[in-house]
Amino acid sequence: MPPFRAGFWIVAPVIGMLAGLLYGLIFDVELLVSGIRGAFIGAPVLLYERGLLFQTWRDLIRRAATPIFVAATLATYIAMIAAGNAGAGTVLHHAFGYMPNPRVAMLMTDAGLAYALGISALSAFVFRVRDLIGPRVFANLLIGRYHRPISEERIFLFLDVAGSTRFAEQHGDLAAQRYLGAIFSALAWPVHRSRGSIDDYVGDMALVSWTMKRGTQDSACLRCVFDFAQVIADDAERWVAEFGQVPNFRAALHCGSVVTAEIGLERHKIAYFGDTLNTTSRLESVAKELGVSILVSGDLLDRLGTLPGGIIVEDLGSRAVRGRHEPLRIAAVHNGSGLSPTKQASAMHSAESG
């Protein structure tokens, strides 16, 4: 488990305790009591939203329509509030001698329940908005980081689902949308793990970006692509059973200076401007032309330095790219077998079918 996620097991009870202390100050409840109850009630809710508790259930309802998502989330919160309050009551009675018996200690006042549900409902709404626009975009909008345009260096990944047009022709647009939705859902965890941001979806293409520091640390941007391929390959049987094929993709990565700005009035969005983004888009077309699964610019490879073991770089020389005065060095990147994990999974399935 990544350290920043493991540390949340400590952060969550502290945040819950602070919410409990606030309740104690508002409703004139002894702070020890309100703090312990807040820690026991708030921690499971926060851990759940962070994906560290009941992850399978959480992922299931997050795919549902918003009304179903909200209702299911509130029901989950109520169950965790009841369990947390019972745990807090047990500790307060046995460890601190509060209340005459455990049953009384576990009782919750109407005000306490309303407060917990109110905070939980607010949390559900905030997390849903965060899911819709992306956690890092949400945080940047919240703090106004890009309210005034700034120039910064970023790494961009254009990830295109190969064969999606053919899939739509064979199975129809609704099935194709479900297919793409499942693929992009599988992309979420590798991007989160690499501390990147899914900034946009355009048809069958996803745009992912990193700050230079996060993307180059341990070659996180490249690791994200291979992690995604591995997620697809590990679930190959389910893809074949549900969609008749294992997804394949093309990825193009590049880095450079862009202008990042918050745009829009009724619908705010963080957008990037500059040749770096255009070049990355054109590299994806080059990858398609060359039949390369993962294409990386020389500019990015220079910034990454020594790559993790098992990654093979195939130098493809320099190539003229529309919009650039100088030719751009490009390279294909493979794992040790020379095949992407998705192609390995497809080959294995073909062999088994034969």
Side-chain angles (χ1 to χ4, degrees):
M1 183 182 296
F4 67 92
R5 285 172 63 84
F8 200 74
W9 284 92
I10 299 173
V11 173
V14 173
I15 295 175
M17 181 186 67
L18 293 175
L21 292 175
L22 177 61
Y23 171 83
L25 292 172
I26 294 173
F27 294 96
D28 194 25
V29 175
E30 188 169 346
L31 294 183
L32 175 64
V33 174
S34 62
I36 290 177
R37 288 194 189 277
F40 272 79
I41 292 172
V45 173
L46 292 170
L47 290 169
Y48 169 78
E49 285 297 346
R50 193 68 172 181
L52 298 172
L53 276 183
F54 313 121
Q55 185 174 355
T56 302
W57 167 248
R58 173 177 171 269
D59 291 343
L60 177 65
I61 65 174
R62 284 176 72 189
R63 299 189 186 101
T66 296
I68 297 175
F69 164 80
V70 172
T73 299
L74 286 177
T76 304
Y77 282 176
I78 290 173
M80 288 191 289
I81 288 169
N85 186 66
T90 301
V91 170
L92 285 168
H93 174 70
H94 289 290
F96 297 96
Y98 281 88
M99 309 353 174
N101 56 67
R103 183 176 178 278
V104 173
M106 292 180 190
L107 293 177
M108 198 171 193
T109 65
D110 292 341
L113 179 60
Y115 179 82
L117 285 176
I119 295 295
S120 298
L122 178 62
S123 299
F125 174 77
V126 169
F127 280 115
R128 185 58 165 180
V129 172
R130 190 194 69 161
D131 287 343
L132 291 173
I133 67 175
R136 303 198 187 282
V137 173
F138 176 76
N140 287 325
L141 286 173
L142 200 63
I143 64 177
R145 180 181 179 186
Y146 300 115
H147 187 65
R148 292 183 178 180
I150 65 172
S151 179
E152 63 177 353
E153 285 192 308
R154 293 191 75 86
I155 298 170
F156 291 98
L157 161 66
F158 273 58
L159 190 143
D160 180 68
V161 179
S164 60
T165 301
R166 184 173 63 254
F167 185 93
E169 291 172 350
Q170 294 175 347
H171 303 282
D173 291 337
L174 288 176
Q177 182 57 46
R178 192 165 61 88
Y179 176 61
L180 290 173
I183 294 171
F184 292 144
S185 293
L187 176 63
W189 169 240
V191 171
H192 178 77
R193 182 184 181 192
S194 66
R195 306 188 71 186
S197 170
I198 301 177
D199 294 313
D200 207 354
Y201 300 106
V202 181
D204 59 0
M205 189 275 298
L207 169 62
V208 183
S209 75
W210 294 262
T211 62
M212 192 62 68
K213 180 179 179 181
R214 287 178 173 174
T216 57
Q217 186 175 9
D218 298 325
S219 300
C221 58
L222 275 182
R223 186 159 39 81
C224 172
V225 179
F226 283 103
D227 283 350
F228 173 57
Q230 195 62 55
V231 167
I232 296 293
D234 289 345
D235 215 10
E237 290 185 3
R238 184 184 69 82
W239 287 105
V240 172
E242 192 168 347
F243 298 105
Q245 64 185 53
V246 179
N248 205 352
F249 63 86
R250 287 181 300 272
L253 297 103
H254 181 49
C255 68
S257 179
V258 292
V259 172
T260 309
E262 182 181 325
I263 61 173
L265 183 61
E266 292 187 357
R267 182 183 182 274
H268 284 246
K269 178 182 178 180
I270 293 175
Y272 306 105
F273 304 90
D275 289 337
T276 299
L277 197 64
N278 298 331
T279 300
T280 312
S281 176
R282 288 160 189 157
L283 282 180
E284 190 278 322
S285 299
V286 173
K288 182 177 181 180
E289 178 185 334
L290 298 177
V292 174
S293 295
I294 305 173
L295 190 68
V296 184
S297 72
D299 294 353
L300 178 55
L301 286 174
D302 290 343
R303 302 295 291 269
L304 292 176
T306 304
L307 299 178
I311 293 181
I312 298 174
V313 177
E314 178 188 351
D315 188 357
L316 299 178
S318 297
R319 189 180 184 92
V321 178
R322 187 163 54 90
R324 280 179 61 103
H325 298 296
E326 299 292 332
L328 181 65
R329 291 183 298 115
I330 58 175
V333 180
H334 314 279
N335 62 13
S337 68
L339 284 176
S340 71
T342 49
K343 286 187 176 180
Q344 289 183 50
S346 297
M348 289 171 59
H349 172 67
S350 298
E352 291 171 358
S353 300

